[in-house]
Amino acid sequence: GKEAVITFSDGKRVKGTSLGMNRSVDAGMIQILPDQNGGKPYPFATLGSSKDLADGSWCLAVGHPGGYDNARGSVLRVGRVLAAHPDRLLTDCALIGGDSGGPLFNLQGELIGIHSRIGNNVETNLHVPVAHYDRAWDRMSSGESWGMLPGFRPAIGVRGKTEDGKAVVIHVRPGSPAEKAGVNVQDVIVKFGDKEITDFDSLKKAVTETMPDMRVPLIVIRGSEEKKLVIRIGNAR
């Protein structure tokens, strides 16, 4: 339900809203809001198939390394499919910060994947197969969020309990993101980002919907005072 702005290659901008996501494969969905194009269809890429891709198949990665630059335009890289799995495609098309979310095409110009991230080896680049969207379409279009990206488990370093319908902190791990943010034992966490916290389970759920290194505003009640903190999400690998 977060607001988004989509920029087309000709510079046109339209508004959208985020729907659901599967963090396990780094796949998400944004819907363009209606009545922004005068009733005309938007340009779109023809879908190919990410199933049964042969190792060594040529592919094309399009992206915006370093971020979108209208004066430069998009950057095209040629590479090969190293391996095709149901939850990820591996290629040697180099990905750089800013490319994430860009398209991966076969040589027929058909969309076969969406850029995700760089693997442990810089020559191994990961993409979400288009076939995943077929399987997860209903869940994502309904706004459901699930899963956890391998190696990225968000954590803030507190234990707590639900007391009188409130999320009460009973332990703060030394050196944890919570301690660095200034969270104390007996603090009552009432808001985490834009989420209202009603019990400790709702806090845990809110944390799972973040990513490590995100900075999230936090509101706690300490005694009779309300305090505003900012916490940098950690990673419980």
Side-chain angles (χ1 to χ4, degrees), residues 172-188:
V172 179
R173 182 165 50 82
S176 67
E179 184 188 61
K180 293 174 182 176
V183 176
N184 291 344
V185 171
Q186 293 303 314
D187 280 354
V188 177

Side-chain angles (χ1 to χ4, degrees), residues 95-191:
L95 297 183
I96 301 173
D99 290 334
S100 297
L104 182 73
F105 294 106
N106 59 23
L107 290 192
Q108 288 70 48
E110 298 169 330
L111 183 71
I112 57 173
I114 302 293
H115 307 332
S116 173
R117 62 199 186 280
I118 301 170
N120 293 328
N121 184 331
V122 295
E123 295 180 350
T124 303
N125 301 275
L126 293 94
H127 317 261
V128 181
V130 291
H132 173 76
Y133 292 90
D134 283 337
R135 297 191 298 272
W137 187 272
D138 290 343
R139 295 180 72 181
M140 284 198 289
S141 61
S142 69
E144 183 179 351
S145 299
W146 73 98
M148 197 67 65
L149 192 65
F152 291 85
R153 185 182 166 203
I156 60 173
V158 299
R159 294 201 310 270
K161 62 181 180 179
T162 299
E163 189 174 274
D164 298 326
K166 299 174 182 177
V168 181
V169 176
I170 62 173
H171 176 75
V172 179
R173 182 165 50 82
S176 67
E179 184 188 61
K180 293 174 182 176
V183 176
N184 291 344
V185 171
Q186 293 303 314
D187 280 354
V188 177
I189 299 177
V190 295
K191 196 165 186 179

Side-chain angles (χ1 to χ4, degrees), residues 19-32:
L19 300 178
M21 58 182 170
N22 179 356
R23 299 182 196 85
S24 298
V25 298
D26 200 22
M29 185 180 291
I30 290 177
Q31 181 180 25
I32 296 175

